[in-house]
Amino acid sequence: MKTNRLMLLALLLGFFTLPSCKNTAELSKITPENKKPNGTADVTPSIVTHSRNLAVVYFIPSDLDTVANWKTRLSDVMLYAQNWYGNAMQAAGYGNKTFGLTPDGSSQKVQIILIRGNSPKATYGQSSGAYTTEVDAYFSAHPGLKTSNHVLILLPAFGYDNNTTEGPQPLEGVQPFNGYGRYCLAMDNVYMNMALKGVMNPGRNNFAKWIGGMMHEIGHAFNAPHDKQMVSQNIWPGANFKEPIMALSNFYLEVRPCFITDAEAAIFNTCEVFNNDSKTYYGSVTATVNKIYANYDAAQSAIVVSGKYSSTGTVSKILYYNDPNVNNEGTGTNKDYNAITWASSPIGTDSFKVVMPINELQYKTDGIPYELKIKLVHDNGVIAETIYSYTFNGGLPVLNFSTRNELSKTGWTIAGFSSQESASEGLATSTIDGSAATFWHSRWSSNAAVYPHYITVDLGSVKTAQGLSYTHRSGAYRAVKDFEILISNDGTNFTSLGNKVTAMSSGPQYFDFSTPQTFRYFKILCKSSWDGTQNAAIAELGLY
């Protein structure tokens, strides 16, 4: 057994030092072994199969072919991934629960569906949609092969770079390696090989880079966004170090401890392919956070957030993603690699609470923009998200998004607007109907309106207010960035209360007046958008 180990290491090291004149066909000589490099036997796990399974596709552009020994190599990799997810879910408290795979007939291998593309690799390039279009067409013609909404598409490497410290490496940036809805795309190459588990090499570890990278991408296909370990889990070396699979597993899998966070586990737990049942997943759900309260508790040195929600479905977990905008990296999807997460169970049927110690947050510089993404995870896999903005000052969180007691909108009317859409969605009246699900939109379908846009509201009588409540359209789509607040008693002569800048948040935002104001009319004068277009949308306006 010691001789076998030395032979394997010599073989692998030989490939890592190939001179540049060697062609990449020699790389295919790496063959799978049922031995770990440390000499202990690997036990091949049996395939876990469900009523609905992850479909594994091998898509081959017309000018490429499969990588050598693909059926055995990739089946072993998928069984490893299935077993790893099961063990990690068990460690997270959900039992040995993993995603399902379909057996390839009576063999002990995983079914991998080979699809030969209609076009050469250059035609497909990095466009995920180019691959999924043909894959979907194939499944339409072979419906029995796709039993769920979740698909992994593996593509052979488009080429290799022989001049790297890590050994000949597949070219990066020429083909997709990402999550795409409930699909994901990853690369097959000679390093997708369980014989490399535990084998160290110069530079970035090849097992982690390619197999770890694939396991991260299928996490996206299982509905999970990125997140990061807490500060107390980020000390290396040390027993407490852990790296989430949805962080940088393509650096650390089998190199340093990788795990599934509580937030990731809650999402995987309600993923269709992690459940062997007949329930309908991803059906329509309407869910809203109705009230939210946030404060810094000095005694606990923690952010305490609580609130109430309503939903037409059943909420199984509430997740809290604290996502900092570091060095102006941006906000929103795919900007959350450094998001620190918590999860809590519902309190009763409509409430939640979480305590988040700030010493677990890595970034606390003054003025840093944070997004608190509250996600309601439903038992049918639907995730409803609301985003709130906060920051830090003097090392302490500044939390001003707690629900205000707003004035009643009874008797309010729209006194004027610059433009609107005349469809069922897009009317100016939607901004005062009490529902964040409806919205006003500037005219776009014909003779599109341009900035500035405005809406004027008549309160019906004189009111006194301390500030304005402003809610973007769901998802902050077509969000207004800069706007001015103006007030009036006659609807003709207006006084400005100043310019404001919104955050890209989906929850209500509150803009305090410098002093309480008494008026009958107020106008919102929109001056620019976050997306750089001439479009504007507002879900709800209010006063408190």
Side-chain angles (χ1 to χ4, degrees):
M1 186 169 293
K2 183 176 181 180
T3 301
N4 288 344
R5 180 179 67 176
L6 293 174
M7 290 176 63
L8 175 59
L9 288 173
L11 177 63
L12 294 172
L13 289 171
F15 282 112
F16 297 148
T17 57
L18 279 174
S20 59
C21 62
K22 298 284 186 180
N23 66 50
T24 55
E26 295 192 47
L27 292 168
S28 64
K29 294 177 183 177
I30 297 178
T31 57
E33 303 250 351
N34 288 325
K35 303 286 183 184
K36 291 182 180 178
N38 64 10
T40 59
D42 255 334
V43 177
T44 302
S46 58
I47 300 173
V48 176
T49 187
H50 293 157
S51 54
R52 287 158 297 200
N53 300 312
L54 173 70
V56 183
V57 170
Y58 201 153
F59 187 93
I60 313 295
S62 62
D63 56 346
L64 293 176
D65 206 345
T66 56
V67 180
N69 203 30
W70 64 277
K71 285 187 177 180
T72 298
R73 278 190 306 97
L74 296 178
S75 178
D76 289 347
V77 167
M78 294 311 302
L79 285 173
Y80 164 80
Q82 187 182 66
N83 189 56
W84 186 95
Y85 267 88
N87 289 334
M89 285 290 283
Q90 185 165 36
Y94 289 88
N96 198 312
K97 185 173 185 177
T98 191
F99 61 95
L101 291 166
T102 302
D104 187 7
S106 59
S107 75
Q108 293 301 305
K109 292 183 172 60
V110 174
Q111 180 187 75
I112 302 173
I113 303 160
L114 185 65
I115 300 177
R116 296 198 176 270
N118 298 323
S119 305
K121 63 185 181 185
T123 301
Y124 298 106
Q126 296 186 67
S127 171
S128 299
Y131 303 93
T132 58
T133 296
E134 286 193 37
V135 169
D136 286 342
Y138 186 90
F139 282 137
S140 293
H142 306 82
L145 294 177
K146 186 172 184 283
T147 60
S148 78
N149 290 278
H150 302 269
V151 180
L152 163 64
I153 302 172
L154 291 161
L155 311 169
F158 279 16
Y160 287 82
D161 176 4
N162 292 333
N163 300 300
T164 73
T165 60
E166 301 154 293
Q169 286 294 302
L171 299 176
E172 298 183 63
V174 295
Q175 62 194 100
F177 204 117
N178 53 38
Y180 184 74
R182 295 191 174 100
Y183 285 55
C184 68
L185 297 97
M187 184 197 298
D188 182 34
N189 59 66
V190 297
Y191 301 112
M192 293 284 282
N193 192 324
M194 291 307 300
L196 298 180
K197 178 183 173 184
V199 175
M200 297 296 104
N201 57 279
R204 189 165 157 192
N205 181 263
N206 286 314
F207 183 93
K209 184 174 182 178
W210 300 108
I211 295 179
M214 182 212 72
M215 295 204 9
H216 173 103
E217 299 308 336
I218 61 174
H220 286 314
F222 298 148
N223 306 319
H226 300 125
D227 64 353
K228 181 179 174 62
Q229 67 268 39
M230 298 177 183
V231 167
S232 64
Q233 299 169 324
N234 197 32
I235 301 170
W236 179 263
N240 289 332
F241 182 89
K242 294 181 179 181
E243 185 79 25
I245 194 69
M246 299 312 300
L248 296 173
S249 55
N250 56 329
F251 283 85
Y252 297 123
L253 184 68
E254 299 293 347
V255 178
R256 298 178 181 179
C258 279
F259 77 117
I260 288 176
T261 65
D262 290 344
E264 293 168 7
I267 292 173
F268 298 146
N269 183 55
T270 62
C271 175
E272 179 183 34
V273 294
F274 276 70
N275 292 280
N276 190 23
D277 56 25
S278 58
K279 183 168 64 180
T280 299
Y281 285 80
Y282 313 128
S284 177
V285 168
T286 301
T288 304
V289 175
N290 300 317
K291 294 182 178 180
I292 188 164
Y293 304 98
N295 69 284
Y296 174 68
D297 187 321
Q300 301 182 81
S301 298
I303 297 171
V304 180
V305 175
S306 61
K308 287 186 173 292
Y309 64 85
S310 59
S311 177
T312 58
T314 300
V315 174
S316 59
K317 286 284 185 179
I318 300 93
L319 312 183
Y320 313 86
Y321 282 65
N322 292 269
D323 187 9
N325 183 351
V326 180
N327 297 324
N328 289 320
E329 66 188 353
T331 59
T333 303
N334 210 37
K335 305 293 185 180
D336 42 16
Y337 275 106
N338 46 26
I340 309 297
T341 60
W342 279 263
S344 71
S345 297
I347 301 172
T349 59
D350 66 351
S351 301
F352 59 88
K353 182 177 181 180
V354 66
V355 177
M356 300 179 288
I358 64 169
N359 62 2
E360 295 290 11
L361 300 178
Q362 180 178 358
Y363 300 100
K364 296 184 281 288
T365 55
D366 283 3
I368 186 170
Y370 259 90
E371 292 180 301
L372 174 62
K373 304 174 181 179
I374 295 186
K375 302 173 187 279
L376 303 178
V377 180
H378 294 79
D379 65 354
N380 71 344
V382 170
I383 302 171
E385 179 183 77
T386 307
I387 301 175
Y388 303 90
S389 297
Y390 71 99
T391 187
F392 273 82
N393 185 46
L396 298 177
V398 179
L399 308 159
N400 62 2
F401 55 81
S402 292
T403 301
R404 308 295 205 273
N405 291 321
E406 296 194 22
L407 303 182
S408 169
K409 296 178 185 177
T410 301
W412 290 20
T413 58
I414 298 296
F417 53 83
S418 53
S419 72
Q420 66 176 3
E421 276 296 302
S422 58
S424 58
E425 290 186 333
L427 300 178
T429 52
S430 296
T431 63
I432 57 171
D433 65 359
S435 172
T438 61
F439 57 89
W440 160 78
H441 199 296
S442 60
R443 187 177 60 249
W444 61 269
S445 57
S446 63
N447 190 26
V450 299
Y451 278 95
H453 307 290
Y454 74 86
I455 291 178
T456 303
V457 177
D458 180 358
L459 306 179
S461 62
V462 172
K463 307 286 184 185
T464 299
Q466 297 179 344
L468 174 82
S469 168
Y470 187 111
T471 305
H472 286 311
R473 177 184 175 182
S474 178
Y477 188 66
R478 299 306 191 202
V480 173
K481 182 179 181 181
D482 301 280
F483 71 93
E484 184 178 4
I485 306 173
L486 303 103
I487 59 173
S488 171
N489 282 319
D490 59 11
T492 302
N493 301 294
F494 283 84
T495 300
S496 175
L497 297 183
N499 294 299
K500 305 295 181 182
V501 179
T502 69
M504 284 288 281
S505 300
S506 50
Q509 299 179 51
Y510 300 105
F511 298 92
D512 293 339
F513 302 151
S514 57
T515 59
Q517 299 290 325
T518 301
F519 53 91
R520 174 168 172 170
Y521 300 87
F522 72 88
K523 178 187 290 187
I524 302 299
L525 182 61
C526 308
K527 298 183 175 182
S528 69
S529 65
W530 275 105
D531 63 9
T533 71
Q534 293 297 318
N535 298 298
I538 302 174
E540 201 68 17
L541 296 169
L543 297 170
Y544 56 90

